[in-house]
Amino acid sequence: MAGRRQGSKGLESERRAAYDAAERLAAIVTDSDDAIISVTLDGIVTSWNLAAERIYGYTAAEAIGHHIDFTAPPDRLEEPRRILAAIARGERVSHFETVRRRKNGTLFDVSLMISPIRDSDGRVVGVSGIARDITEHKRLQQMRDEFVLIISHEMRNPLTAIEGALSNLKVGVHGTASPAQAAEIALALRNVKRIERFLETLRDAQRLAALPMPCTRCRIDPRTLVHDTVTGFQQMAVAGRIALTEDLPAAMPPVNVDPDRITEVLHNLVRNALRFAARRIVVAMSVLDGVVQLSVSDDGPGIAQHELESLFHRVPQVPHPDESGEWRSGLGLTICRRIVEQHGGRIWVDSGAGYGARFHFTLPRTS
């Protein structure tokens, strides 16, 4: 009898613990600032917490029993169904940003995290979703981007004027400077360059956040982009005593790209090569395995193997001095990767310390 009483107490304790855990979970769902919603695999709403009522404007009584697509704006009605299909396959949707509609018809930005609900046998039987209203976050983000754009634009002209005036003083346009004056002028020029690099970082970080950028694609001979790039950098190459040449086939298949974006990639790669090349840079092009491949090679010091993997995956950071002493943001190649991938290609580098670097990227050919 004593054993049975102890067993009953143990079972009651387990039930009480389970009940308490359920109560705590229910309190979390009820008090959450995020909308927490459950639906069947067919998309029928089965639960709708207070935050969902506040965010969407529908009461639980109005929402439960209806298909979840009433939360989507007219141009996104297929989106909930696609998400449900993915969840039914056992996938999970994390931090998916989209737009949803309130009861009064207004649209708002939302971040979704959606997970499958499984039964005791592991089968997916429903869907649980957490929706966070990020409208204010998006508004502040837009304000920040506009502020960066204004600052970087408004400071460019005065900095250019200051740099020009200092350069004139440096070369003696207004008379030969004393050694002390020359040192002060050189220091001022270095700090102007530093501010310019910092502004470059702000612009790059803003553009990186905005990628993928809208593309205006057209059918074009890729040799034209290479030739224009090489021609545009010839004066800079000559000044640095670098032989900048192009190695192009007699004919190439056209590509369907945004010329401005692909030119930006080429400019970035050639500009980097000019900073590190010893005597020679070659911009080449070929067709391999049905894709157009472009390459920019230099005979500089090369890149250490341990740096290659992260080269195209930089994060925004304060500018830092590179080997040449110039201040760089490190985001240029990351932006190049995003642009190339947006066009359906890939980008990589072959290099090693001491034998130069060869950057490649591909573009799908147009039949």
Side-chain angles (χ1 to χ4, degrees):
M1 292 292 293
R4 285 198 295 269
R5 284 197 298 270
Q6 289 175 356
S8 297
K9 289 181 179 179
L11 182 59
E12 179 63 26
S13 177
E14 290 177 2
R15 288 175 178 170
R16 171 54 62 181
Y19 177 80
D20 289 344
E23 285 287 298
R24 286 194 297 271
L25 180 59
I28 291 172
V29 172
T30 300
D31 297 336
S32 173
D33 290 330
D34 298 329
I36 301 179
I37 305 165
S38 297
V39 301
T40 67
L41 288 179
D42 294 328
I44 304 303
V45 177
T46 56
S47 70
W48 187 267
N49 73 342
L50 290 176
E53 293 187 347
R54 175 177 53 80
I55 291 173
Y56 287 96
Y58 294 92
T59 65
E62 291 174 311
I64 293 174
H66 295 274
H67 196 282
I68 191 63
D69 62 7
F70 71 85
T71 63
D75 62 338
R76 297 175 184 256
L77 287 177
E78 290 301 314
E79 195 173 80
R81 300 177 188 273
R82 289 199 304 270
I83 293 173
L84 288 169
I87 296 298
R89 296 191 297 267
E91 300 176 14
R92 178 173 179 158
V93 179
S94 298
H95 304 298
F96 173 62
E97 293 188 6
T98 184
V99 177
R100 286 293 178 258
R101 182 179 60 175
R102 295 188 175 91
K103 182 179 180 179
N104 63 10
T106 59
L107 304 181
F108 66 100
D109 296 299
V110 64
S111 175
L112 302 176
M113 186 167 66
I114 305 171
S115 306
I117 299 174
R118 301 179 184 272
D119 62 14
S120 57
D121 295 323
R123 292 174 299 189
V124 179
V125 295
V127 177
S128 174
I130 300 175
R132 174 167 295 179
D133 185 348
I134 58 172
T135 304
E136 182 64 12
H137 170 75
K138 286 285 190 179
R139 187 184 70 83
L140 293 175
Q141 187 177 56
Q142 182 179 1
M143 290 176 59
R144 181 203 64 190
D145 292 344
E146 291 175 353
F147 175 75
V148 169
L149 184 64
I150 291 170
I151 291 296
S152 60
H153 177 76
E154 292 298 325
M155 290 189 67
R156 189 178 307 160
N157 289 338
L159 278 174
T160 300
I162 293 170
E163 184 177 5
L166 289 170
S167 297
N168 287 339
L169 292 174
K170 181 179 179 181
V171 299
V173 170
H174 304 294
T176 303
S178 68
Q181 291 170 331
E184 293 290 341
I185 292 169
L187 176 62
L189 275 170
R190 286 197 299 272
N191 280 282
V192 167
K193 290 289 187 182
R194 183 173 181 176
I195 296 172
E196 289 176 344
R197 298 304 180 197
F198 183 76
L199 293 175
E200 178 184 331
T201 300
L202 291 178
R203 291 193 297 270
D204 285 350
Q206 181 190 33
R207 294 189 65 254
L208 188 61
L211 291 172
M213 297 177 64
C215 280
T216 304
R217 303 195 187 201
C218 64
R219 191 178 161 97
I220 190 171
D221 185 336
R223 293 175 304 169
T224 301
L225 303 179
V226 171
H227 180 72
D228 289 348
T229 298
V230 170
T231 301
F233 278 98
Q234 276 299 343
Q235 186 174 354
M236 189 180 299
V238 170
R241 299 184 178 180
I242 303 295
L244 173 59
T245 60
E246 57 188 51
D247 181 9
L248 306 179
M252 286 292 291
V255 291
N256 187 32
V257 300
D258 184 323
D260 291 339
R261 300 283 76 79
I262 299 305
T263 296
E264 181 178 352
V265 174
L266 285 167
H267 278 212
N268 193 292
L269 296 181
V270 172
R271 189 179 295 110
N272 281 348
L274 284 168
R275 289 168 49 216
F276 296 107
R279 294 178 300 276
R280 177 177 54 86
I281 298 171
V282 179
V283 184
M285 183 182 297
S286 60
V287 178
L288 298 172
D289 300 325
V291 299
V292 174
Q293 179 170 312
L294 299 93
S295 304
V296 177
S297 308
D298 68 66
D299 60 348
I303 304 166
Q305 289 295 317
H306 70 274
E307 295 182 355
L308 295 180
E309 185 174 347
S310 63
L311 202 59
F312 298 97
H313 300 272
R314 304 292 191 192
V315 296
Q317 58 188 357
V318 175
H320 59 279
D322 57 24
E323 292 85 348
S324 67
E326 293 191 37
W327 289 74
R328 299 285 171 178
S329 69
L331 295 178
L333 292 176
T334 303
I335 293 173
C336 287
R337 176 179 64 86
R338 298 281 184 90
I339 292 173
V340 170
E341 289 178 352
Q342 186 178 359
H343 281 79
R346 67 187 188 96
I347 187 169
W348 71 99
V349 60
D350 298 325
S351 183
Y355 64 86
R358 188 171 189 178
F359 287 83
H360 314 270
F361 70 95
T362 61
L363 297 171
R365 58 182 292 180
T366 301
S367 58

